[in-house]
Amino acid sequence: MLTIGLLGCGNIGNIIAKNHVGVEIVALFDQMPERAEEMGRLCHAKAFGDIEEFLSEDFDLVVEAASVSAAQEYALSVLEHGKDLVVMSVGAFADEYFREEVTRRAAALGRRIHIPSGAIFGLDNLKIGQISGITKLLLRTTKNPRSLNMECTERMLLFSGQANECIKHYPKNTNVSVALELAAGRAVEVELWADPDVDRNVHEIFIEGDFGEATITVRNRPSPDNPSTSYLAALSIITLLKNLSEPMRIGT
Ligand SMILES: NC(=O)C1=CN([C@@H]2O[C@H](COP(=O)(O)OP(=O)(O)OC[C@H]3O[C@@H](n4cnc5c(N)ncnc54)[C@H](OP(=O)(O)O)[C@@H]3O)[C@@H](O)[C@H]2O)C=CC1
Ligand SMILES: O=C([O-])CC(=O)C(=O)O
């Protein structure tokens, strides 16, 4: 069975710990050591307070569910320790130089980096953008101000522009925009709205290209323990882990 180490023992980490399928969690790390220890009691895995010791433990793959800065800080080290990597904080790869460095190192070391579909649908066939023209790619994200850690009394446009700029300002809320960018192999326009009248994390994706047009609307339930993060994101990573060791691959 695939063995994993969880880097980040917050909301997504806890959902994985309680619901994982087809993998064994053996090691845990969080910058708040008490969170790793508490989770260790829950899933009988070893909690580490030191990243080097965590990465030196014997397991196959690190699941990062911590933060964009954690992904940037530890990705190379994970690969150097002979482990594959699942990155939830995909905004880390908005930095092209960093992305190329990590990809080069993974190739040299024979390691793999997996990016889950996270809080959206449609990432699979959007990859056709790597071989066929996509002329428009817009993500409109709308969240309750609570999910954005702010207050407002009416619908308000917080950001309009490119994904790689948006993620710098909203690293806890717009990782999906960078996932879209990586899948399609082109820039993504982003609008980020706060709306006190919505109780879901809504992602509307507008795509036009040689294939035709597509519009995808995802109305996500926020996670009970972290309203910034949609519950779908945690389900997505659990499913990715389940599928990693299955012989048949589904989706582009
Ligand atoms: N790709 C996608 O579609 C989506 C991605 N995400 C991203 O997934 C990640 C996890 O989400 P979620 O579980 O809800 O977040 P939480 O904040 O609930 O949990 C993250 C945990 O990781 C810890 N952490 C943060 N930085 C570091 C670090 N440098 N080293 C070790 N531990 C660290 C946090 O500590 P502390 O509380 O002290 O910061 C916290 O305990 C986030 O980056 C989020 O933005 C979320 C939704 C969708
Ligand atoms: O969970 C969501 O709805 C999206 C999110 O926070 C992100 O992409 O960072």
Side-chain angles (χ1 to χ4, degrees):
M1 189 181 285
L2 195 71
T3 50
I4 69 170
L6 275 180
L7 200 172
C9 302
N11 165 56
I12 290 181
N14 269 285
I15 299 173
I16 297 172
K18 288 175 191 153
N19 300 285
H20 62 88
V21 184
V23 296
E24 185 188 357
I25 303 173
V26 300
L28 306 164
F29 176 76
D30 195 287
Q31 65 187 4
M32 307 289 278
E34 63 275 16
R35 289 194 191 142
E37 280 156 23
E38 193 183 330
M39 194 186 285
R41 285 189 285 277
L42 178 83
C43 64
H44 310 294
K46 198 163 161 190
F48 292 86
D50 179 275
I51 190 73
E52 267 305 307
E53 288 177 16
F54 167 72
L55 292 176
S56 302
E57 186 72 0
D58 184 20
F59 60 89
D60 301 317
L61 173 143
V62 168
V63 175
E64 178 282 324
S67 60
V68 166
S69 54
Q72 286 173 334
E73 190 175 349
Y74 300 129
L76 284 170
S77 198
V78 168
L79 302 172
E80 306 286 354
H81 280 79
K83 290 165 169 59
D84 289 349
L85 175 61
V86 176
V87 178
M88 202 70 217
S89 307
V90 57
F93 294 125
D95 177 338
E96 199 178 330
Y97 175 79
F98 176 72
R99 184 170 75 238
E100 281 174 6
E101 193 186 3
V102 171
T103 311
R104 227 182 357 256
R105 208 64 204 118
L109 293 163
R111 304 264 54 103
R112 292 212 173 240
I113 300 157
H114 305 275
I115 312 255
S117 297
I120 48 172
F121 286 78
L123 210 58
D124 53 353
N125 250 344
L126 188 60
K127 287 190 273 184
I128 58 104
Q130 298 169 21
I131 56 144
S132 174
I134 288 186
T135 48
K136 175 179 172 177
L137 185 48
L138 168 71
L139 169 71
R140 181 180 300 137
T141 292
T142 306
K143 294 190 178 186
N144 186 283
R146 198 178 50 250
S147 294
L148 293 153
N149 204 19
M150 60 173 287
E151 287 179 13
C152 66
T153 50
E154 57 188 41
R155 187 171 167 83
M156 192 176 148
L157 181 62
L158 300 178
F159 180 91
S160 174
Q162 302 263 316
N164 60 1
E165 200 51 42
C166 189
I167 189 72
K168 291 182 195 157
H169 303 286
Y170 298 96
K172 295 184 175 187
N173 283 286
T174 57
N175 287 279
V176 288
S177 67
V178 179
L180 288 168
E181 201 158 279
L182 296 184
R186 59 151 287 155
V188 174
E189 294 294 318
V190 183
E191 288 176 19
L192 178 62
W193 294 82
D195 188 338
D197 293 330
V198 299
D199 61 355
R200 299 284 168 97
N201 293 337
V202 184
H203 301 293
E204 296 166 279
I205 305 162
F206 304 92
I207 313 156
E208 288 176 14
D210 295 345
F211 74 94
E213 302 86 38
T215 305
I216 300 165
T217 302
V218 191
R219 296 175 45 76
N220 279 310
R221 285 182 206 286
S223 303
D225 291 337
N226 181 358
S228 301
T229 292
S230 302
Y231 182 52
L232 175 64
L235 296 179
S236 162
I237 202 165
I238 292 167
T239 310
L240 182 145
L241 293 171
K242 173 179 178 292
N243 283 314
L244 274 181
S245 42
E246 288 180 357
M248 186 180 286
R249 290 285 168 101
I250 301 158
T252 302

